Amino acid sequence: MVDGIDAVGAQSRRRSGPVGVAIAGGGLRATSVLRLLSEVADLRVVGVYDSSSSAPAVRLAEDLGIFVTTEVDDLAQIDGLDLILDLSEDPNVSRNLAERRLPGVDIITGAGAELVWDLLVAKKRSEEQEKIFVELQVAYDKIRSHERKLQASKEALERANVELENRLAEIFFTHEFFKALTVFSTVDDVASLVVDGANGILGAEISCVYLFDQETWTLHLRACQGRPEEWFRPVVPVSQTILGAAFRDGFTQQADVPQGSELAEWVMDPDEIRSQTAVPLRTGDSILGVLAVAWATPRELDVAERDRLQVIANQSSLTLQNALLHEELERLSVTDRLTELYNHGYLLQRLDEELGRAARFGHRLSVIMMDIDDFKQFNDTYGHPRGDQVLKVVSGIIRQNLREIDVAARYGGEEFVLVLPETDAEGAVRVAERIRQSMESYEIEVDHTGARDRRTVSLGVATYPLHGQTVARLIDAADRAMYEAKRQGKNKVVVAR
């Protein structure tokens, strides 16, 4: 139990059971606090409030089965509420909570809420760090004791000094590793630090981090060390290799890998692996991925090394989880939730960047504006849920016809904009025609009887620098060309004049 929460929630001890906590606020800080509180045995999160029903903490609370509300007054109605933690950063919310003076309920806000956050993070990290530093201190004490016993033998004393230096170097490296974990914030940086730590602390010859993709149930390479990236298989199903075994069963080790072992097929040449160990990267009941270490010679980790590997995995998992959450929040901030294409704001930013690049290097750049024909009529006839289905179909067809360097965004309503770097008008027309033909031939199920309908799209093409040299002029030119396609009878591709 966190000492700060014990002190503030003293009134809750009048009855038995865990302290009932409600969180006001739905931002990134509230999301992280909710995850941390859900792992504290003496606490029970009973409710989450935010004015937005799509706030990250609200969505996480829904996944955890916790009561959520967009009305702050609803918090007062929750049974078993002992404490409200205000992470909203909204003075109106803080004032509302303070004015209610709920009997038997403590409210923590401002600096108090920051203190609770710091205590929770410190508690989580200190639990993992304490174990390894105790172990390293014991090892240090043993080495010093051994050194004193071998004073009579210079050769033995020298060996002990070398061992002591190695252990001290390991302690220093471990300390620097954990300190760096608190600084790194991107997924790639954290994953690279983890493999660096595995090699430095354990002396691994080969190390890698694979992250779990829940949609495909596969593990994807995110960082590696000791061999070139192409030496590793980029994607591994969770049912295969030692990575899958660790994902299912926890810590897994092969001290002497036989030739042709399927467990070593996470690399392109499995016969180069003679010993290997893997451990899941886990937070609570969720597995984020797998950390694997290997050698080209037979080797078995002793108990202390196994413990160190587990501590590296445990401590790294917390930082990795925060980095993944930050990455997901950044993705959501630039993505249209329905179509999973980029949103209007990010489109303008990227188009401005690509336009600047095209100007610097003298490249062509094309913009396609497209609109679903008679979409309002479709919505009026079959309803908005079916209309949403059409939008998803269109976004899928767009993705199938674009390159990695292309940018596709939902511009608004049923309009979409595609940015094609290094593409002239002729190339853009070919892309637009593929999309138009794919959409024209796609049948959409419109009701439970199996009835189907077809939707067409009208597309306008504008190319830099021929039709415009600024973001606004290019979009306007593509938009006018699209409306010309509408005037010509729809289901057409028109190039701007």
Side-chain angles (χ1 to χ4, degrees):
M1 182 65 179
V2 179
D3 294 341
I5 296 179
D6 273 340
V8 177
Q11 292 182 1
S12 66
R13 298 193 182 93
R14 292 177 302 181
R15 53 177 173 77
S16 60
V19 175
V21 180
I23 296 175
L28 179 60
R29 176 62 57 85
T31 304
S32 297
V33 169
L34 176 55
R35 289 186 183 277
L36 292 171
L37 287 177
S38 65
E39 298 176 6
V40 178
D42 296 335
L43 292 179
R44 182 170 65 93
V45 180
V46 296
V48 173
Y49 154 77
D50 193 85
S51 59
S52 171
S53 61
S54 62
V58 171
R59 291 165 58 189
L60 174 60
E62 289 175 343
D63 292 341
L64 297 175
I66 296 171
F67 170 76
V68 298
T69 179
T70 57
E71 298 294 335
V72 70
D73 291 342
D74 289 349
L75 295 179
Q77 308 302 320
I78 299 175
D79 291 334
L81 178 64
D82 300 303
L83 175 68
I84 296 176
L85 186 58
D86 180 11
L87 299 170
S88 65
E89 300 181 1
D90 184 342
N92 292 328
V93 172
S94 301
R95 191 181 310 112
N96 185 307
L97 293 172
E99 290 174 352
R100 296 188 66 87
R101 295 188 177 89
L102 303 176
V105 178
D106 293 313
I107 300 173
I108 302 180
T109 186
E114 292 294 324
L115 177 59
V116 171
W117 160 255
D118 292 340
L119 289 170
L120 286 169
V121 172
K123 176 179 181 295
K124 185 69 177 179
R125 289 174 177 164
S126 65
E127 288 174 352
E128 299 296 344
Q129 291 181 353
E130 182 179 354
K131 180 178 178 182
I132 189 170
F133 282 114
V134 167
E135 176 201 330
L136 293 174
Q137 185 61 51
V138 170
Y140 176 81
D141 292 342
K142 287 182 178 179
I143 293 172
R144 295 295 298 176
S145 176
H146 186 60
E147 178 184 336
R148 286 191 296 269
K149 293 178 181 178
L150 296 178
Q151 288 295 329
S153 171
K154 180 179 179 181
E155 182 179 344
L157 178 59
E158 289 176 351
R159 287 197 302 267
N161 283 334
V162 170
E163 183 179 355
L164 175 60
E165 289 175 1
N166 291 338
R167 297 294 282 173
L168 289 174
E170 181 181 310
I171 292 172
F172 175 78
F173 190 93
T174 302
H175 173 71
E176 292 300 310
F177 171 73
F178 286 127
K179 186 168 69 173
L181 276 178
T182 65
V183 176
F184 283 56
S185 59
T186 69
V187 175
D188 287 335
D189 285 346
V190 174
S192 296
L193 181 62
V194 172
V195 295
D196 187 52
N199 277 19
I201 297 173
L202 292 173
E205 181 181 339
I206 302 158
S207 58
C208 60
V209 167
Y210 281 75
L211 296 185
F212 175 52
D213 184 341
Q214 191 169 6
E215 290 187 4
T216 60
W217 275 75
T218 52
L219 295 161
H220 294 250
L221 180 67
R222 200 62 184 253
C224 57
Q225 196 171 105
R227 294 290 188 277
E229 184 175 342
E230 57 270 17
W231 191 75
F232 301 82
R233 282 177 60 186
V235 180
V236 178
V238 295
S239 60
Q240 298 177 10
T241 78
I242 195 172
L243 305 179
F247 184 92
R248 296 188 307 272
D249 307 323
F251 178 90
T252 305
Q253 179 172 224
Q254 268 191 311
D256 192 355
V257 180
Q259 294 289 311
S261 173
E262 294 181 354
L263 287 180
E265 291 181 353
W266 51 279
V267 300
M268 295 301 183
D269 189 358
D271 289 342
E272 289 192 35
I273 298 292
R274 291 304 313 278
S275 57
Q276 58 181 352
T277 303
V279 61
L281 298 169
R282 180 194 302 272
T283 58
D285 294 331
S286 300
I287 298 180
L288 307 177
V290 176
L291 166 62
V293 293
W295 292 264
T297 56
R299 175 176 175 181
E300 182 174 6
L301 299 184
D302 59 29
V303 174
E305 289 173 325
R306 288 180 56 170
D307 288 344
R308 282 197 288 276
L309 177 61
Q310 190 64 61
V311 169
I312 292 171
N314 291 347
Q315 189 66 24
S316 301
S317 296
L318 179 61
T319 305
L320 189 59
Q321 181 186 46
N322 289 336
L324 286 166
L325 177 61
H326 181 71
E327 184 180 81
E328 177 64 10
L329 290 175
E330 283 192 336
R331 186 189 71 81
L332 290 174
S333 71
V334 299
T335 303
D336 174 68
R337 191 168 181 181
L338 177 64
T339 63
E340 295 187 353
L341 299 178
Y342 290 118
N343 58 28
H344 183 280
Y346 184 73
L347 165 75
L348 297 180
Q349 174 189 328
R350 282 295 304 275
L351 180 53
D352 186 60
E353 293 171 358
E354 294 297 341
L355 200 58
R357 189 175 291 110
R360 283 196 303 275
F361 297 105
H363 293 161
R364 293 290 184 267
L365 179 143
S366 291
V367 172
I368 300 174
M369 175 78 76
M370 62 179 289
D371 182 86
I372 303 172
D373 295 329
D374 303 316
F375 187 67
K376 182 179 184 304
Q377 176 186 341
F378 183 91
N379 271 343
D380 292 342
T381 303
Y382 301 113
H384 287 279
R386 295 295 179 183
D388 289 347
Q389 181 185 352
V390 174
L391 293 171
K392 291 179 181 178
V393 168
V394 173
S395 67
I397 289 174
I398 289 173
R399 278 192 289 268
Q400 291 169 8
N401 287 280
L402 295 188
R403 306 163 297 176
E404 270 197 38
I405 65 171
D406 298 331
V407 179
R410 184 181 181 188
Y411 196 65
E414 67 272 24
E415 288 187 333
F416 299 83
V417 171
L418 286 59
V419 179
L420 310 180
E422 301 179 29
T423 305
D424 59 16
E426 183 179 348
V429 168
R430 287 196 296 269
V431 174
E433 274 294 335
R434 287 200 304 268
I435 294 173
R436 186 195 65 78
Q437 292 170 11
S438 297
M439 195 63 201
E440 181 183 36
S441 62
Y442 194 95
E443 292 187 345
I444 301 164
E445 187 173 326
V446 294
D447 60 31
H448 65 280
T449 67
R452 295 180 176 275
D453 195 320
R454 295 176 189 269
R455 289 293 94 188
T456 60
V457 291
S458 297
L459 305 98
V461 174
T463 300
Y464 167 86
L466 181 61
H467 303 119
Q469 299 185 20
T470 66
V471 170
R473 289 186 179 277
L474 267 179
I475 289 180
D476 180 64
D479 188 54
R480 284 187 280 107
M482 180 193 72
Y483 277 103
E484 178 61 28
K486 296 274 191 185
R487 283 190 290 271
Q488 292 182 19
K490 305 174 184 176
N491 191 23
K492 292 181 180 296
V493 177
V494 172
V495 179
R497 295 181 180 180

